Amino acid sequence: MKKLVHPILSGTLAFSMALSSTAFAQAQKVERPPQFVLLAFDGSYENSFWEESREFAKTMKSQGKNVKFTYFVSGVYWVHEGNYALYMPPHKEAQFSSAREKQAEVDRRLREATDASISKAQKKRIRGQYSDIGFGDSPQDIEERVNQVNLAYEEGHEIASHGNGHYKGGNRDGESRNWNLKQWRSEFQQFIDLIFNVFENNNIQNRTKYASGYAFAPEEITGYRAPTLDTNPEMFQALSDFRFKYDTSGARSGPEEAIWPKKNKHGTWMFPLGYINIAGTNKKTASMDYNFFANQSRGIDDKANKEVYRDQMTKSYMKYFNDNYYGNRAPVHIGHHFSKWNGGAYWESMKEVTSEICGKPEVRCVTYIDYVKWLESQGESKLASFKTGSFSRVSRPADLKSEVVVGKTESRLQRDGDLLKGSFKMDRLAKMLNYKSAIKINNEVQAGEEVDLMKLRESALKGSDVVVSAVVLNKQGMEVDSYSLKIENLGTASESIANKSIEERALLGDLPEAHEHHEHEE
């Protein structure tokens, strides 16, 4: 904002005020911004959950609470598993020297899918090389998915992209594929092709009221969330090439200004998920349901403790919301999946939190694209003032100021030959609160503080996967800290122990395991 200086001011004063004009513009008081809440789903596979989530939004509307979701959909769910080869993962595509060679491979794979001499189990293994999350079901199932997407869009929800086969295309760690620009462009183009060629690809008739089959055009898909939140610079360039307006692949916590969105060098809005504390514990996680599932029960279904998990998520989300609502009004991001882990604890918690907060004064529960439109209507100066908190804040009620006191703890597992040994640290408060250390195997408490792998191999099913955890329990027996390692293919030549804990991986964001159950058993 340009600062105008009255002519009668002296040159010195004018110079001084000119120097401070930018700072003044950023610090000046502005009207308090709304509290935006962004509620989203990744993958969006089960048709029944499309309907259930839409019905919940309708119920909220009937109560005077306007709730809109953003659905980040995966392109592979728009092609039935018999035609899996219509999607070519970019890292596989790179092996072909020409389009003709690539097409020959696609044709061969499509013939193979109907070859009766190839067993169903073998076909499933082959399909697994083309997607980490499976494919669509029957053509009829896919036709209904198209119907649900149209209904959601017509009701004001947003359809965005979660890519295709849920591959790690970034460069975050040694497991990532680090796709180049050409590969990312292929991924985004294939997403559009899978979605908008759905009728041809699955040999089904367009029975919608739309000529294209959709209530929206390809260019209206303007948001992206990378599988496993894994990115690289080439991905952001490709997003810009395909005219995406925003990306939600980040996950971080930090100073207040850091969690307000900003644009990258390509002009793409960056929306990070939150890193939040799990209530009553020393655990942190990304603000997504599967990450709570991994942190609370190691991704092992535990319906017996459903209410504990639901209560922890609800309190965690409410603190996340309240800190922003009564603080700097940075947006709240909550990302879930079409799954009901731990007896439906997380979907029930999401509904409970949504019902509680979306009717509050100055709260808007909107789609990401609607939030982008609001951001772009404000102007840089005003946004700068929002980021620095230059507005009058709502007084935080006294009953929200107290929190459960948690002693500081740290758990680790260390390998010593054929022993996995627990290592625990507790501060004075943790000891005063009578915290106890323990070892768990598949969530069951064991005697002692180490695991003999030789004995474990003898007692467990050969080839099974086992999770060993070092945990700290409070006086009520609930975990306040944990460190868990997964042992795969126990007792076989391919046995391996993860080099990163489940809790560390849960901090990374959206994990491929969140979608694995979609591949069907034959």
Side-chain angles (χ1 to χ4, degrees), residues 38 43 61 70 103 111 128 170 208 224 241 280 361 373 450 488 509:
L38 294 313
K61 186 175 182 180
T70 299
Q103 188 59 49
R111 290 194 301 271
T208 72
Y224 184 65
D241 294 343
K373 292 174 182 177
E450 64 183 30
E488 296 185 325

PDB file of all heavy atoms in Angstrom, residues 38 43 61 70 103 111 128 170 208 224 241 280 361 373 450 488 509:
ATOM      1  N   LEU A  38     -11.784 -26.223   6.710  1.00  0.00           N
ATOM      2  CA  LEU A  38     -11.734 -26.975   5.458  1.00  0.00           C
ATOM      3  C   LEU A  38     -11.819 -28.461   5.778  1.00  0.00           C
ATOM      4  O   LEU A  38     -10.908 -29.040   6.374  1.00  0.00           O
ATOM      5  CB  LEU A  38     -10.439 -26.674   4.693  1.00  0.00           C
ATOM      6  CG  LEU A  38     -10.201 -25.259   4.134  1.00  0.00           C
ATOM      7  CD1 LEU A  38     -11.418 -24.736   3.399  1.00  0.00           C
ATOM      8  CD2 LEU A  38      -9.754 -24.276   5.201  1.00  0.00           C
ATOM      9  N   GLY A  43      -9.352 -40.014  -1.623  1.00  0.00           N
ATOM     10  CA  GLY A  43      -9.617 -41.320  -2.220  1.00  0.00           C
ATOM     11  C   GLY A  43     -11.036 -41.458  -2.712  1.00  0.00           C
ATOM     12  O   GLY A  43     -11.296 -41.658  -3.885  1.00  0.00           O
ATOM     13  N   LYS A  61     -27.293 -28.668   7.167  1.00  0.00           N
ATOM     14  CA  LYS A  61     -27.982 -27.535   6.544  1.00  0.00           C
ATOM     15  C   LYS A  61     -29.366 -27.333   7.142  1.00  0.00           C
ATOM     16  O   LYS A  61     -29.803 -26.192   7.362  1.00  0.00           O
ATOM     17  CB  LYS A  61     -28.078 -27.752   5.037  1.00  0.00           C
ATOM     18  CG  LYS A  61     -28.655 -26.558   4.278  1.00  0.00           C
ATOM     19  CD  LYS A  61     -28.616 -26.787   2.774  1.00  0.00           C
ATOM     20  CE  LYS A  61     -29.149 -25.579   2.026  1.00  0.00           C
ATOM     21  NZ  LYS A  61     -29.123 -25.787   0.548  1.00  0.00           N
ATOM     22  N   THR A  70     -14.656 -30.992   0.478  1.00  0.00           N
ATOM     23  CA  THR A  70     -13.832 -31.152  -0.717  1.00  0.00           C
ATOM     24  C   THR A  70     -13.465 -32.621  -0.816  1.00  0.00           C
ATOM     25  O   THR A  70     -12.938 -33.192   0.137  1.00  0.00           O
ATOM     26  CB  THR A  70     -12.562 -30.297  -0.652  1.00  0.00           C
ATOM     27  OG1 THR A  70     -12.931 -28.914  -0.558  1.00  0.00           O
ATOM     28  CG2 THR A  70     -11.702 -30.502  -1.901  1.00  0.00           C
ATOM     29  N   GLN A 103       1.586 -48.553 -26.128  1.00  0.00           N
ATOM     30  CA  GLN A 103       0.254 -49.047 -26.450  1.00  0.00           C
ATOM     31  C   GLN A 103       0.252 -50.560 -26.614  1.00  0.00           C
ATOM     32  O   GLN A 103      -0.704 -51.241 -26.217  1.00  0.00           O
ATOM     33  CB  GLN A 103      -0.275 -48.381 -27.724  1.00  0.00           C
ATOM     34  CG  GLN A 103      -1.730 -48.688 -28.032  1.00  0.00           C
ATOM     35  CD  GLN A 103      -2.664 -48.260 -26.911  1.00  0.00           C
ATOM     36  OE1 GLN A 103      -2.592 -47.139 -26.418  1.00  0.00           O
ATOM     37  NE2 GLN A 103      -3.533 -49.171 -26.481  1.00  0.00           N
ATOM     38  N   ARG A 111      -5.452 -57.962 -22.670  1.00  0.00           N
ATOM     39  CA  ARG A 111      -5.747 -59.351 -23.063  1.00  0.00           C
ATOM     40  C   ARG A 111      -5.470 -60.299 -21.902  1.00  0.00           C
ATOM     41  O   ARG A 111      -6.241 -61.228 -21.643  1.00  0.00           O
ATOM     42  CB  ARG A 111      -4.897 -59.744 -24.277  1.00  0.00           C
ATOM     43  CG  ARG A 111      -5.279 -59.054 -25.575  1.00  0.00           C
ATOM     44  CD  ARG A 111      -4.616 -59.744 -26.778  1.00  0.00           C
ATOM     45  NE  ARG A 111      -3.162 -59.736 -26.678  1.00  0.00           N
ATOM     46  CZ  ARG A 111      -2.387 -58.764 -27.139  1.00  0.00           C
ATOM     47  NH1 ARG A 111      -2.932 -57.691 -27.724  1.00  0.00           N
ATOM     48  NH2 ARG A 111      -1.074 -58.826 -27.030  1.00  0.00           N
ATOM     49  N   GLY A 128      -1.435 -55.154  -8.797  1.00  0.00           N
ATOM     50  CA  GLY A 128      -0.746 -54.449  -7.729  1.00  0.00           C
ATOM     51  C   GLY A 128       0.467 -53.670  -8.200  1.00  0.00           C
ATOM     52  O   GLY A 128       0.960 -52.779  -7.499  1.00  0.00           O
ATOM     53  N   GLY A 170       7.249 -37.865  -5.060  1.00  0.00           N
ATOM     54  CA  GLY A 170       8.119 -36.768  -4.662  1.00  0.00           C
ATOM     55  C   GLY A 170       9.527 -37.221  -4.319  1.00  0.00           C
ATOM     56  O   GLY A 170       9.996 -38.268  -4.778  1.00  0.00           O
ATOM     57  N   THR A 208     -26.429 -39.965 -17.547  1.00  0.00           N
ATOM     58  CA  THR A 208     -26.591 -38.718 -16.806  1.00  0.00           C
ATOM     59  C   THR A 208     -27.319 -37.703 -17.674  1.00  0.00           C
ATOM     60  O   THR A 208     -27.533 -37.922 -18.874  1.00  0.00           O
ATOM     61  CB  THR A 208     -25.221 -38.140 -16.395  1.00  0.00           C
ATOM     62  OG1 THR A 208     -24.561 -37.615 -17.559  1.00  0.00           O
ATOM     63  CG2 THR A 208     -24.341 -39.199 -15.748  1.00  0.00           C
ATOM     64  N   TYR A 224      -5.353 -30.011  -5.524  1.00  0.00           N
ATOM     65  CA  TYR A 224      -4.593 -31.264  -5.507  1.00  0.00           C
ATOM     66  C   TYR A 224      -4.073 -31.558  -4.108  1.00  0.00           C
ATOM     67  O   TYR A 224      -3.679 -30.650  -3.367  1.00  0.00           O
ATOM     68  CB  TYR A 224      -3.407 -31.166  -6.464  1.00  0.00           C
ATOM     69  CG  TYR A 224      -2.603 -32.440  -6.593  1.00  0.00           C
ATOM     70  CD1 TYR A 224      -3.158 -33.586  -7.150  1.00  0.00           C
ATOM     71  CD2 TYR A 224      -1.280 -32.499  -6.162  1.00  0.00           C
ATOM     72  CE1 TYR A 224      -2.420 -34.757  -7.279  1.00  0.00           C
ATOM     73  CE2 TYR A 224      -0.531 -33.661  -6.295  1.00  0.00           C
ATOM     74  CZ  TYR A 224      -1.113 -34.791  -6.855  1.00  0.00           C
ATOM     75  OH  TYR A 224      -0.374 -35.950  -6.979  1.00  0.00           O
ATOM     76  N   ASP A 241       1.425 -25.833 -14.712  1.00  0.00           N
ATOM     77  CA  ASP A 241       1.160 -26.104 -16.128  1.00  0.00           C
ATOM     78  C   ASP A 241      -0.294 -26.504 -16.355  1.00  0.00           C
ATOM     79  O   ASP A 241      -0.884 -26.181 -17.388  1.00  0.00           O
ATOM     80  CB  ASP A 241       2.070 -27.222 -16.634  1.00  0.00           C
ATOM     81  CG  ASP A 241       3.544 -26.828 -16.635  1.00  0.00           C
ATOM     82  OD1 ASP A 241       3.841 -25.608 -16.557  1.00  0.00           O
ATOM     83  OD2 ASP A 241       4.395 -27.733 -16.707  1.00  0.00           O
ATOM     84  N   GLY A 280      -4.300 -35.342  25.797  1.00  0.00           N
ATOM     85  CA  GLY A 280      -3.940 -36.179  26.932  1.00  0.00           C
ATOM     86  C   GLY A 280      -2.695 -37.003  26.748  1.00  0.00           C
ATOM     87  O   GLY A 280      -2.400 -37.884  27.560  1.00  0.00           O
ATOM     88  N   PRO A 361     -20.574 -18.336  15.512  1.00  0.00           N
ATOM     89  CA  PRO A 361     -20.441 -17.036  14.833  1.00  0.00           C
ATOM     90  C   PRO A 361     -19.090 -16.916  14.133  1.00  0.00           C
ATOM     91  O   PRO A 361     -18.064 -17.357  14.651  1.00  0.00           O
ATOM     92  CB  PRO A 361     -20.543 -16.025  15.990  1.00  0.00           C
ATOM     93  CG  PRO A 361     -21.254 -16.761  17.082  1.00  0.00           C
ATOM     94  CD  PRO A 361     -20.839 -18.193  16.955  1.00  0.00           C
ATOM     95  N   LYS A 373     -11.134 -18.340  -3.373  1.00  0.00           N
ATOM     96  CA  LYS A 373     -11.831 -17.162  -3.898  1.00  0.00           C
ATOM     97  C   LYS A 373     -11.867 -16.048  -2.846  1.00  0.00           C
ATOM     98  O   LYS A 373     -11.702 -14.862  -3.173  1.00  0.00           O
ATOM     99  CB  LYS A 373     -13.240 -17.541  -4.341  1.00  0.00           C
ATOM    100  CG  LYS A 373     -13.275 -18.441  -5.564  1.00  0.00           C
ATOM    101  CD  LYS A 373     -14.697 -18.903  -5.873  1.00  0.00           C
ATOM    102  CE  LYS A 373     -14.714 -19.853  -7.075  1.00  0.00           C
ATOM    103  NZ  LYS A 373     -16.083 -20.380  -7.355  1.00  0.00           N
ATOM    104  N   GLU A 450      11.626 -55.916  27.031  1.00  0.00           N
ATOM    105  CA  GLU A 450      12.324 -56.284  25.814  1.00  0.00           C
ATOM    106  C   GLU A 450      11.618 -57.461  25.160  1.00  0.00           C
ATOM    107  O   GLU A 450      10.860 -58.192  25.808  1.00  0.00           O
ATOM    108  CB  GLU A 450      13.794 -56.620  26.106  1.00  0.00           C
ATOM    109  CG  GLU A 450      13.996 -57.825  27.002  1.00  0.00           C
ATOM    110  CD  GLU A 450      15.476 -58.059  27.304  1.00  0.00           C
ATOM    111  OE1 GLU A 450      16.243 -57.080  27.344  1.00  0.00           O
ATOM    112  OE2 GLU A 450      15.851 -59.231  27.502  1.00  0.00           O
ATOM    113  N   GLU A 488       7.834 -57.285   9.318  1.00  0.00           N
ATOM    114  CA  GLU A 488       7.101 -57.915   8.223  1.00  0.00           C
ATOM    115  C   GLU A 488       7.679 -59.281   7.899  1.00  0.00           C
ATOM    116  O   GLU A 488       8.885 -59.516   8.017  1.00  0.00           O
ATOM    117  CB  GLU A 488       7.135 -57.016   6.984  1.00  0.00           C
ATOM    118  CG  GLU A 488       6.425 -55.684   7.185  1.00  0.00           C
ATOM    119  CD  GLU A 488       6.374 -54.856   5.922  1.00  0.00           C
ATOM    120  OE1 GLU A 488       7.337 -54.910   5.136  1.00  0.00           O
ATOM    121  OE2 GLU A 488       5.367 -54.155   5.707  1.00  0.00           O
ATOM    122  N   GLY A 509       1.832 -37.654   7.148  1.00  0.00           N
ATOM    123  CA  GLY A 509       0.583 -37.326   6.488  1.00  0.00           C
ATOM    124  C   GLY A 509      -0.128 -38.539   5.945  1.00  0.00           C
ATOM    125  O   GLY A 509      -0.167 -39.592   6.570  1.00  0.00           O
TER     126      GLY A 509
END
